[in-house]
Amino acid sequence: MSEIVATSYKIFINNNIEKDINRFLNANKNKYSKLFILVDENSLKYCYPQLVAKIQKFEEAEIIEIESGEEQKSIEVCVQMWTVLSDLKSDRKSLFVNIGGGVISDMGGFIASTFKRGIDFINIPTTLLSQVDASVGGKVGVDLNNLKNQIGVFNQPKAVFVCPLFLSTLPKRQVLSGFAEVIKHSLIADYDYWKKIKEINFSKIESFDEIINTSIQIKNNIVSIDFEEKNIRKSLNFGHTVGHAIETLMLEGHNRKTWMHGEAVAVGMIVESYLSHKICKLSKSELNEITQFILSIYKPVKINENDFERLIELMKNDKKNNDTDINFSLISIIGKAEINKNIKPDLIIEALKFLNKEISVF
Ligand SMILES: NC(=O)c1ccc[n+]([C@@H]2O[C@H](COP(=O)([O-])OP(=O)(O)OC[C@H]3O[C@@H](n4cnc5c(N)ncnc54)[C@H](O)[C@@H]3O)[C@@H](O)[C@H]2O)c1
Ligand SMILES: [Zn+2]
C-alpha cells in the first residue's frame, strides 16, 4: 500500500507485511546475530502465527512473552527482560522485535534502547493506537508507579511494519481507544481529514487503511520537524494534559475504574477544546461539532466535582508546567494547533464543568 520515509527509518504499511519484513531481515542478515521477539498473550495468539508462517527467521528467534496490560509497563518488568536477554547471551548485534500494542512498543523500545547501551529494534504494531501513534516517533519508556511514561528516552526504531489486517481481532473498545488519536491528528493538523473521519464506518475494517496512512503521515511530519518536542511536537499533546490526569486519577485509590488511554484523551479533547474556545478563539460552532462527535462515539461518565482539585494537581505534575499556570497545547480552528498556552486552574475547572454538562445533556 504505502511507504513513509521517517528521519532515519521507513514505515511500511500494507496487508502483506511479511514480504517487507523478510526483505529487511535479508538486507541486514550480516548485521544481526540473533532475534528476540517481544509479545503479549494476545499478539502471540492473533498476530505472531501469521507472521512466523511466512518469515523463516522468526522461527529461529527467541520469543519473550509478557502478560498484557498497562501494569506491565514498569521498570520491574524491564529488569526481568534485561535479565532474560543477558541469560540468553544477547549481544550488541541482536535485533529486538516488538509485536503488539503500545505497551509492547513503548517498553520493548526502551529495553532495547538501554540494554548494553542500545541494540536495534523494529516495531510491528498490532493495535490501532500503536499503528497510528505509539510505534512511530521514537518515544520509548515505562511508567513509574501510577505516573505515566516517567522513565524513558527518545530513540528511533530501525523500521516499522504496519499491517491493518491485524485490527480484525482487536476488541471494539480498543479500536475506539486508538481512534481518539486519529481524532487528535485531524484536529491539530488537517480539516479535510476531520471531515473524512466523521464518516467512518467502524464495522468495516477496510475503512482503516486510509486512516492509518494519513494519521502516520501527520504524526511523522510533526516528529520529523521537531523530534525532541521543543515546539511543534507539543501539539500532539492536545487532549493529553487533561487525559493523562484523568487516567492517573482513575488508577488512584477508591476511584479505581479503568479508563482506556484513548477514552481519557477523547474526554480530554472536549475539555481542551473548551479551553481553546476561551483562549485561542476556537469558534463556538466548532467546539460544539467536536464535542458532539466525540460524545457520539464514547460514552464517558461524569467526573466527580470533588476530584477536580486533584485533577488540577495532577496536571501541575505534568512535565510541561511553570509554578501556577498549566501549559496546554490547544487549537485555534479545526486543523490548526497552538502550543504553549498557559492557563489558570479556575478556567480548567470551568472547562471540566462544561464537560460534565455536555455529558449529562447528550
Ligand atoms: N510512544 C508513544 O508515542 C505513545 C503514543 C501513544 C500511546 N503510547 C502508549 O501506548 C500504550 C497503549 O497502547 P495500546 O492501546 O496499544 O495498549 P496495549 O498494548 O495494552 O494493547 C491493548 C490490548 O490489545 C491487545 N492486542 C494487541 N494486538 C491485538 C490484536 N491484533 N488483536 C487482539 N488483541 C490485541 C493487547 O494484548 C492488549 O490487551 C500506553 O502505554 C500509552 O502510554 C505511546
Ligand atoms: Zn495518546
Side-chain angles (χ1 to χ4, degrees):
M1 212 154 41
S2 84
E3 256 181 56
I4 297 174
V5 180
T7 22
S8 61
Y9 64 99
K10 277 191 181 168
I11 303 157
F12 300 87
I13 311 166
N14 65 71
N15 283 325
N16 219 338
I17 207 68
E18 299 83 5
K19 267 196 185 155
D20 293 305
I21 300 172
N22 273 324
R23 217 172 284 138
F24 172 88
L25 292 174
N26 286 333
N28 290 289
K29 66 172 182 283
N30 297 325
K31 193 171 169 192
Y32 299 123
S33 56
K34 202 165 185 175
L35 262 58
F36 292 85
I37 298 182
L38 183 66
V39 286
D40 65 20
E41 74 277 11
N42 293 313
S43 60
L44 182 63
K45 180 173 171 192
Y46 297 117
C47 312
Y48 173 76
Q50 177 184 323
L51 295 166
V52 74
K54 294 194 187 142
I55 304 170
Q56 204 217 332
K57 289 206 165 55
F58 277 13
E59 284 175 32
E60 302 147 18
E62 298 281 355
I63 309 287
I64 307 177
E65 183 189 346
I66 58 165
E67 269 176 49
S68 63
E70 182 74 24
E71 319 78 70
Q72 300 300 311
K73 212 178 99 174
S74 66
I75 205 77
E76 291 78 13
V77 175
C78 289
V79 171
Q80 290 169 20
M81 298 300 118
W82 289 317
T83 309
V84 170
L85 288 178
S86 185
D87 290 348
L88 293 173
K89 311 251 174 305
S90 164
D91 60 20
R92 297 204 56 212
K93 286 179 76 187
S94 304
L95 176 69
F96 210 73
V97 181
N98 298 315
I99 306 177
V103 168
I104 294 285
S105 55
D106 273 19
M107 186 164 64
F110 180 67
I111 292 164
S113 302
T114 45
F115 185 73
K116 297 200 174 183
R117 296 201 176 79
I119 57 176
D120 286 357
F121 67 98
I122 58 174
N123 289 335
I124 307 177
T126 63
T127 62
L128 180 60
L129 190 137
S130 60
Q131 294 187 342
V132 298
D133 199 345
S135 71
V136 179
K139 275 190 186 176
V140 294
V142 294
D143 304 334
L144 183 65
N145 307 321
N146 280 338
L147 293 173
K148 297 259 307 171
N149 305 327
Q150 292 293 295
I151 310 294
V153 297
F154 285 101
N155 192 25
Q156 309 268 26
K158 288 293 161 204
V160 178
F161 301 93
V162 181
C163 178
L165 268 186
F166 282 146
L167 302 185
S168 57
T169 53
L170 198 63
K172 173 97 186 276
R173 196 172 164 205
Q174 296 285 355
V175 174
L176 294 183
S177 177
F179 192 68
E181 306 288 1
V182 170
I183 297 176
K184 178 191 77 181
H185 290 142
S186 73
L187 291 176
I188 62 170
D190 189 339
Y191 180 75
D192 292 339
Y193 187 37
W194 163 253
K195 287 282 165 216
K196 206 164 270 172
I197 64 164
K198 284 181 76 187
E199 307 300 315
I200 180 130
N201 179 348
F202 285 105
S203 51
K204 264 191 160 172
I205 199 79
E206 317 81 75
S207 17
F208 285 100
D209 290 4
E210 197 186 339
I211 280 181
I212 291 167
N213 258 287
T214 313
S215 265
I216 292 180
Q217 299 259 17
I218 290 174
K219 174 149 188 194
N220 186 49
N221 286 345
I222 293 172
V223 171
S224 307
I225 299 168
D226 176 28
F227 181 52
E228 288 185 358
E229 200 170 313
K230 302 245 189 292
N231 47 66
I232 186 69
R233 187 168 183 169
K234 292 183 186 172
S235 63
L236 290 164
N237 291 326
F238 181 61
H240 282 65
T241 305
V242 173
H244 280 157
I246 294 176
E247 269 183 287
T248 308
L249 178 78
M250 296 306 163
L251 287 172
E252 287 179 348
H254 61 280
N255 276 315
R256 214 174 172 86
K257 287 182 230 120
T258 42
W259 280 44
M260 283 190 184
H261 178 70
E263 293 166 342
V265 169
V267 160
M269 286 190 288
I270 296 180
V271 177
E272 296 186 21
S273 293
Y274 182 86
L275 297 174
S276 301
H277 170 57
K278 291 286 174 181
I279 298 287
C280 299
K281 301 196 169 76
L282 178 74
S283 69
K284 187 90 187 28
S285 68
E286 288 201 330
L287 168 64
N288 290 340
E289 195 180 329
I290 295 166
T291 305
Q292 276 162 26
F293 181 56
I294 290 176
L295 291 180
S296 73
I297 299 176
Y298 305 90
K299 301 291 169 217
V301 290
K302 284 204 265 186
I303 296 175
N304 191 330
E305 289 210 8
N306 297 331
D307 289 329
F308 284 0
E309 287 301 331
R310 177 69 189 137
L311 279 176
I312 301 283
E313 228 174 278
L314 288 167
M315 288 177 219
K316 280 190 179 156
N317 267 342
D318 210 53
K319 42 196 181 289
K320 308 167 275 287
N321 302 301
N322 63 26
D323 285 351
T324 49
D325 297 355
I326 296 169
N327 188 279
F328 280 84
S329 301
L330 302 175
I331 54 174
S332 52
I333 51 173
I334 292 177
K336 187 165 185 316
E338 299 275 335
I339 58 168
N340 292 332
K341 297 289 168 192
N342 289 328
I343 299 191
K344 301 239 173 300
D346 284 357
L347 188 58
I348 303 169
I349 303 256
E350 189 182 314
L352 289 165
K353 286 184 178 159
F354 168 81
L355 168 74
N356 274 351
K357 188 172 102 306
E358 292 295 312
I359 291 175
S360 60
V361 295
F362 195 80

